[in-house]
Amino acid sequence: MSAVAESLPFPVPRSRRRWIPYGRIGVALACFALWQFGSYWMGKEWLPGPVATFARIWDLALSAQLFRDSLVTFSEAAAGMILGGVGGAALPFLLRLSPRLLKASEPFLSAAFGVPKLALAPLFILWLGIGIMTKIVFVASIVFFLMFYNGMAGILSVDPRLVAMARVAGASQWQVTRHIVWNTTVPFLFAGLKIALPRAISGAVVGEFIAADSGLGWYINNSRSLNDTVGVLAGVIVVTILVIVVNAVLQRSQARSLAWRPVSRDMVV
Amino acid sequence: MSSPAAALEVRRLSKRFPPRPGQSESPWVLSDLSFCVGDSEFLTIVGPSGSGKTTLLNILSQVDGASGGEMLFRGESINLASAALNPGLNCHIGYVTQDDNLLPWQTLIDNVTFPLKLQGRLNQESMARMQGLLKAVNLIGFDHYYPHELSGGMRKRASLIRTLAYDPPIILMDEPFGAVDAQTRTQLQQDLLRLWNLGRKTIVFVTHDIGEAIALGDRVLVLSRSPARVIYEHHVAIPRPRDLSNFYKLEGFGDMYETVRKELL
Ligand SMILES: Nc1ncnc2c1ncn2[C@@H]1O[C@H](COP(=O)(O)OP(=O)(O)O)[C@@H](O)[C@H]1O
Ligand SMILES: [Mg+2]
């Protein structure tokens, strides 16, 4: 119960928190009911119901195909995330050391941010083929800027008084970065991850729509070409579950590393 | 005024900040400011708020550059140009700032040992010394509290012992007791005098409180309104140890207080 309450961005009185899990179950049931109703309304060949969809997911799970395709998509997203995310998060730390370089690179970075990455996908295919590398670079190109701009916001919010205090106390440039700049920036990087991780997964899926021979995006697209709406929907659900799981893991590590922050008071909303 | 034994000396210091956008020139904050501090002297500087006390200490600690003038540390000239700053002068000059500047993501104990950690001097001996300091300022038992879980006075005390713990020979203090209540303040002043008496460091203590300046200092400098200069100097003859719980009754305090009050008008 407390885990539920802690994950909320605003304080809720203890007496009302008790109802949150029941409320959530209620909303979930209502969604399934609506889904089932929509399926009757539109016809199940257009919108398969939840039962048919989850039955398919079960079959896929038994045949190990679900595992294989999820792993492919997850690996692409993860590798792209590491490639683009680490680069995007590290760049602000380097730019901080040289205000001149920061000023000089600013227009180029915003121009590069403005390029629609989806439009670059054909180019990536030409360069890298339809293998896993194309999706990794595609994901990296999306994630890089999200992490870069959040990291930059963190760098800009570093308190110069804390830096001065540390310098007077004998901190080297590296120690200032490690102790003051890094700790100030961590919450901003988490905010970046919160947006970037789902984008990384959907980036990998979209990449697989365009060119792939495995992965959840490939499965969805392949089902579509066979007019298999159950397959399409099952694929979408699995992608959603993947995103939810990744988010939950992120939430946990965020809570642990930001434990120092003032907790929300028990005030009445 | 200057002597070869001076721990720190400034000559004709001046400072103006860069002009604001749309403004051609900004006013001088410090102009022609000169003084020196002897070894193990407790120097207090009193000036009205906004007179440039913080600006002065920022320059002495080399957090900020000067526009003109020079500084000598043990007779050696220090470059005060903005590009050549060496904050804290290799840990020779400690600075207890007006804000406590504790790191919000670190617990009390990590905050007060932060300079020792940076300097690679965190060991059993320095840790034992730290325990003594924590005890002296009544912070025992709060080791694992984060700054936001401490009161303003506790944070102030933490920032004070953070600097005392690494033992710089010169310590600059910017109204360190400005934000605490009267009783705590007297206690802290008494603690400071006791700690100073043990180690006999050189202290430059800045305040807008005339009583505090006289009660603590060996010598009091009076600053003019902006642009700040030293306009008066007083040697405080009150013998030590001083009992600060009723320093208004100390011999000679009243007269000096009246004099300084008039000088500041
Ligand atoms: N960073 C700054 N930029 C411009 N003006 C400043 C800056 N810091 C202080 N000043 C100005 O310098 C004067 C003295 O400020 P300060 O040194 O903080 O005074 P005090 O500490 O004696 O109260 C004030 O008029 C203030 O506006
Ligand atoms: Mg001030």
Side-chain angles (χ1 to χ4, degrees):
Chain A
M1 189 196 92
S2 69
V4 173
E6 272 158 28
S7 69
L8 292 174
F10 49 84
V12 174
R14 216 167 282 279
S15 58
R16 283 194 233 163
R17 279 183 201 164
R18 205 150 36 101
W19 297 101
I20 292 172
Y22 302 111
R24 285 183 177 178
I25 292 169
V27 171
L29 287 176
C31 287
F32 280 122
L34 203 65
W35 180 2
Q36 187 67 61
F37 177 75
S39 168
Y40 282 128
W41 182 264
M42 292 173 66
K44 65 178 187 308
E45 57 284 2
W46 291 108
L47 178 63
V51 177
T53 307
F54 281 98
R56 173 66 66 87
I57 292 173
W58 182 247
D59 286 347
L60 288 172
L62 289 182
S63 75
Q65 192 187 356
L66 176 75
F67 180 72
R68 192 201 66 178
D69 285 329
S70 302
L71 188 66
V72 168
T73 303
F74 179 78
S75 316
E76 291 163 352
M81 191 66 223
I82 290 167
L83 189 67
V86 172
L91 189 56
F93 286 86
L94 296 178
L95 291 180
R96 193 187 82 89
L97 301 180
S98 166
R100 238 179 321 165
L101 190 61
L102 173 61
K103 260 255 162 318
S105 58
E106 215 166 20
F108 300 102
L109 283 164
S110 7
F113 182 49
V115 175
K117 307 301 169 303
L118 203 53
L120 287 180
L123 201 58
F124 292 155
I125 294 170
L126 278 177
W127 290 343
L128 302 164
I130 64 160
I132 188 165
M133 212 45 213
T134 305
K135 270 80 77 181
I136 291 175
V137 171
F138 182 57
V139 169
S141 71
I142 296 170
V143 162
F144 176 87
F145 290 99
L146 295 173
M147 293 308 286
F148 172 76
Y149 279 106
N150 275 281
M152 211 60 228
I155 298 285
L156 293 176
S157 71
V158 168
D159 186 344
R161 294 171 308 173
L162 294 186
V163 174
M165 180 277 293
R167 298 280 283 148
V168 169
S172 62
Q173 187 62 257
W174 159 247
Q175 286 176 315
V176 168
T177 303
R178 153 97 181 64
H179 291 284
I180 314 284
V181 182
W182 170 252
N183 282 303
T184 305
T185 308
V186 164
F188 290 83
L189 293 181
F190 270 114
L193 283 176
K194 210 158 186 172
I195 306 169
L197 282 177
R199 290 280 181 88
I201 292 172
S202 56
V205 169
V206 170
E208 289 162 353
F209 284 170
I210 300 170
D213 48 20
S214 60
L216 293 170
W218 166 83
Y219 179 79
I220 293 170
N221 203 37
N222 191 50
S223 303
R224 179 200 54 82
S225 68
L226 302 172
N227 267 333
D228 174 14
T229 43
V230 182
V232 171
L233 213 51
V236 171
I237 297 283
V238 173
V239 171
T240 308
I241 292 171
L242 195 57
V243 170
I244 290 172
V245 169
V246 166
N247 263 342
V249 172
L250 176 68
Q251 191 101 25
R252 292 212 142 214
S253 54
Q254 178 177 20
R256 194 161 330 140
S257 81
L258 299 185
W260 57 269
R261 295 219 283 194
V263 291
S264 52
R265 310 275 184 273
D266 254 348
M267 66 177 205
V268 179
V269 214
Chain B
M1 212 161 89
S2 90
S3 69
L8 199 64
E9 179 174 357
V10 290
R11 294 183 187 153
R12 310 189 52 119
L13 205 61
S14 64
K15 172 73 178 177
R16 83 204 299 181
F17 288 97
R20 304 171 69 84
Q23 202 185 34
S24 61
E25 279 190 339
S26 56
W28 290 98
V29 178
L30 310 176
S31 91
D32 246 350
L33 195 149
S34 308
F35 68 87
C36 67
V37 204
D39 220 4
S40 351
E41 185 182 19
F42 199 129
L43 178 74
T44 55
I45 300 179
V46 62
S49 301
S51 60
K53 303 184 294 299
T54 301
T55 306
L56 171 63
L57 292 194
N58 282 346
I59 293 172
L60 297 185
S61 61
Q62 298 190 63
V63 162
D64 203 355
S67 315
E70 60 175 331
M71 178 162 100
L72 293 102
F73 172 74
R74 294 175 180 160
E76 229 174 284
S77 177
I78 307 290
N79 192 344
L80 289 181
S82 303
L85 295 180
N86 177 12
L89 202 62
N90 308 322
C91 307
H92 286 306
I93 300 182
Y95 185 11
V96 181
T97 47
Q98 195 161 10
D99 315 297
D100 54 66
N101 287 338
L102 297 177
L103 304 176
W105 51 80
Q106 288 199 339
T107 57
L108 174 69
I109 191 73
D110 287 336
N111 262 295
V112 294
T113 53
F114 183 60
L116 293 169
K117 224 173 302 160
L118 292 175
Q119 298 164 20
R121 289 169 50 199
L122 193 60
N123 50 35
Q124 278 190 337
E125 192 195 324
S126 61
M127 218 39 206
R129 205 178 119 74
M130 193 76 245
Q131 287 304 323
L133 286 168
L134 284 168
K135 198 161 171 204
V137 296
N138 251 322
L139 281 175
I140 294 286
F142 295 97
D143 300 26
H144 299 295
Y145 283 55
Y146 286 101
H148 74 267
E149 297 168 320
L150 300 170
S151 75
M154 293 161 101
R155 287 205 295 268
K156 214 67 237 208
R157 282 177 267 164
S159 86
L160 182 64
I161 62 171
R162 174 175 61 188
T163 298
L164 293 177
Y166 73 92
D167 215 25
I170 299 179
I171 301 183
L172 314 173
M173 299 191 180
D174 192 359
E175 311 199 30
F177 311 134
V180 286
D181 60 273
Q183 288 105 307
T184 316
R185 169 192 277 246
T186 308
Q187 185 58 50
L188 288 173
Q189 290 167 339
Q190 198 80 69
D191 289 340
L192 177 61
L193 281 191
R194 199 161 41 80
L195 291 167
W196 172 71
N197 210 22
L198 289 178
R200 281 285 168 164
K201 322 202 132 306
T202 306
I203 293 185
V204 179
F205 186 107
V206 144
T207 179
H208 65 262
D209 182 329
I210 304 169
E212 180 174 69
I214 298 168
L216 296 179
D218 292 325
R219 192 154 57 96
V220 179
L221 302 181
V222 181
L223 291 188
S224 65
R225 290 195 181 276
S226 236
R229 279 175 306 114
V230 177
I231 46 173
Y232 294 99
E233 178 188 11
H234 301 275
H235 288 270
V236 184
I238 304 171
R240 299 186 189 267
R242 300 174 186 171
D243 177 15
L244 297 185
S245 54
N246 44 8
F247 59 70
Y248 286 87
K249 290 187 193 137
L250 292 172
E251 179 70 31
F253 178 88
D255 294 340
M256 191 174 279
Y257 187 94
E258 268 311 301
T259 316
V260 175
R261 197 181 62 79
K262 292 205 181 93
E263 287 165 356
L264 278 172
L265 284 180

